Amino acid sequence: MSLTTIAVQQLSKTFGHHPVLQDIGFEIRQGERVALIGPSGSGKSTLMRHLVGLTRANRQGNSCVHALGRDIQRHGKLISASRAERCRTGYIFQQFNLAGRLSVLTNVLVGRLGRMPRWRALLGRFSAEERAMALHALKRVGLEELAGQRANTLSGGQMQRVAIARALMQDAELILADEPIASLDPRSAREVMDILKRINEEDGRTVVITLHQVDYAREYCQRAIALRQGRLYYDGPITQLTDARLQALYENAGLNELYQPSDGSVQPVMLRAATG
Amino acid sequence: MTTQTPSITATTMGKRSWLNLAGWSAALVVLGWAWQGTEMQPGLLVENAGNMATLASDFVPPSFTNLGHYIEQMLVTIQIAIWGTLLAIVFAIPCSLLSSDNLVPWWVYQPMRRLMDACRAINELVFAMLFVVAVGLGPFAGTLALFIHTTGVLAKLFSEAVEATEAGPMEGIRVTGAGRIEEIIFGLIPQVLPLWISVSLYRFESNIRSATVLGMVGAGGIGVSLWETMRGFQYTETATIMLVIIVAVTALDMASQTLRKRFI
Ligand SMILES: Nc1ncnc2c1ncn2[C@@H]1O[C@H](COP(=O)(O)OP(=O)(O)OP(=O)(O)O)[C@@H](O)[C@H]1O
Ligand SMILES: [Mg+2]
């Protein structure tokens, strides 16, 4: 049987009076490649941030976020963890979150901070081996010539690829990528998706990718989790995410429509991934 | 200004002008109140114009016999400013981080801010008098005085820069598994460094000006000579000292300004 990598239970998040996530629950097993989809503002980024403890769930309620064998947060309280534990999860931000005034190479090298001896991390003394790794990661995203350039002089797509190289550098077991191809041209987008696919298939890393491009989700992921207005709307094999469902997901149509099968063959809206 | 909703516009306008009127009246009251307190009597300037002309004529021609000594004293003043500022920068960095509400909980930043407020509230000249008592006459007392006061000033300016930073880069470092201090070094400091440098240089400029008077209370530097010559009515000497101060301060201001421009 396969191990659970992520387990989310009864997760709700309200910003002010605005409920952004409502009673979300799902599990992701080791080695899965999952697309997280949903319209803009449906809460995808917020959900992803909960998975690494950047955002805390509502205090009231029995929420629990579990990842890589430890609780990240329970009932809206973060559970602290060692550096060694935390660096097992890599995160690619929708806004890249690079340190603009540092060089591209340094921005990639920091992906290693959690794994370095503390004194070297504090002094920023990266070893020759780490530099070589960083250059290699940059090469994988096609940016090795820009290693010396300041990060804030890059184009959006280049920044996005630096953020991806940083996550690669981290060598994490679980990679959470928040719209990693949003500002890339089709060819770079494909390259990035191929990289994510490869580390999933060859290295057995679990990958969760937020995507706006359903075509990519269909092509690259086995499973889809869809959010709509902060609620779990669909969770199941991507093959069964039919055009009709997608239309209902993205159009301003009422949820109820889906519960009225036009022909008897339509599946229930929620499909658990095919396990127990 | 004339839109589809004239009534709303009119009421807001009415409110605005009321507020305006109240604001201006309050400002006038404050100005009048302060005028009383300062015992302003512009008439005296005219009445005593003769005296002032006599006084001014006492300053010329400046006497250059002791110029070498004054230049030496000016150098001591600059040395006081250098070390006073440098120590302040070193201490203001941790203090500013501990007074930033985006880094530490309120029970850390509130006491730290109050402490920095206290350092800033007391003028460096007052600190200088205290340190003269504590460590004796001389430039060391002046350096300590500048250091304490400037720490309070820089900590506030530094922490304002810290509070204006974006959280994103720090989060980017945090999720790599790095610790809190690495987060600050790699995610925060690069964002604030240019401003910190420029603010520190600016403070250095103003510390040179402050250091020139520290000697008046015995805390070293050119202020000692300034005070002595003035008390002895040796105004031609005073004039020379003032010239030395003007030349040095202007030169250093200009140098520091060019440096500052490179960091913004
Ligand atoms: N820190 C915050 N404070 C207040 N509201 C927030 C905050 N973060 C997110 N929100 C709100 O939560 C909702 C969901 O935002 P989120 O970024 O998760 O959407 P998303 O699905 O990632 O959208 P997109 O596809 O555009 O990236 C939005 O309405 C947003 O305004
Ligand atoms: Mg998002």
Side-chain angles (χ1 to χ4, degrees), chain A residues 45 94 178-179:
Chain A
S45 299
Q94 185 170 3
D178 196 356
E179 300 195 18

Side-chain angles (χ1 to χ4, degrees), chain B residues 68-79:
Chain B
H69 174 68
Y70 297 145
I71 289 176
E72 245 167 58
Q73 288 302 301
M74 189 64 219
L75 290 179
V76 174
T77 306
I78 294 170
Q79 288 163 336

Side-chain angles (χ1 to χ4, degrees), chain B residues 45-77:
Chain B
L45 284 176
V46 186
E47 270 173 44
N48 299 341
N51 286 349
M52 294 184 62
T54 327
L55 181 64
S57 66
D58 285 348
F59 279 81
V60 281
S63 132
F64 288 104
T65 41
N66 292 321
L67 184 63
H69 174 68
Y70 297 145
I71 289 176
E72 245 167 58
Q73 288 302 301
M74 189 64 219
L75 290 179
V76 174
T77 306

Side-chain angles (χ1 to χ4, degrees), chain A residues 49 83 86-87 89 93 97-99 101 110 113 118 121-122 124 170, chain B residues 168-169 171-179 181-182 185-186 190 194:
Chain A
R49 289 172 61 86
R83 296 195 312 151
R86 290 193 297 124
C87 67
T89 305
F93 288 87
N97 287 358
L98 304 178
R101 300 184 66 90
V110 296
L113 283 176
R118 197 66 195 268
L122 285 175
Q170 204 177 325
Chain B
E171 290 182 343
I173 306 291
R174 191 180 316 160
V175 293
T176 65
I181 302 177
E182 291 96 306
I185 293 174
F186 292 94

Side-chain angles (χ1 to χ4, degrees), chain A residues 12-60:
Chain A
S12 297
K13 178 66 182 176
T14 306
F15 283 116
H17 294 289
H18 178 47
V20 174
L21 293 175
Q22 294 180 60
D23 198 26
I24 305 287
F26 59 86
E27 274 189 21
I28 291 175
R29 283 155 298 120
Q30 191 178 25
E32 276 198 273
R33 197 161 69 239
V34 180
L36 180 59
I37 61 172
S40 182
S42 57
K44 303 180 296 294
S45 299
T46 308
L47 175 56
M48 295 277 262
R49 289 172 61 86
H50 278 87
L51 299 181
V52 285
L54 284 173
T55 304
R56 280 174 298 171
N58 293 346
R59 278 291 174 107
Q60 60 276 35

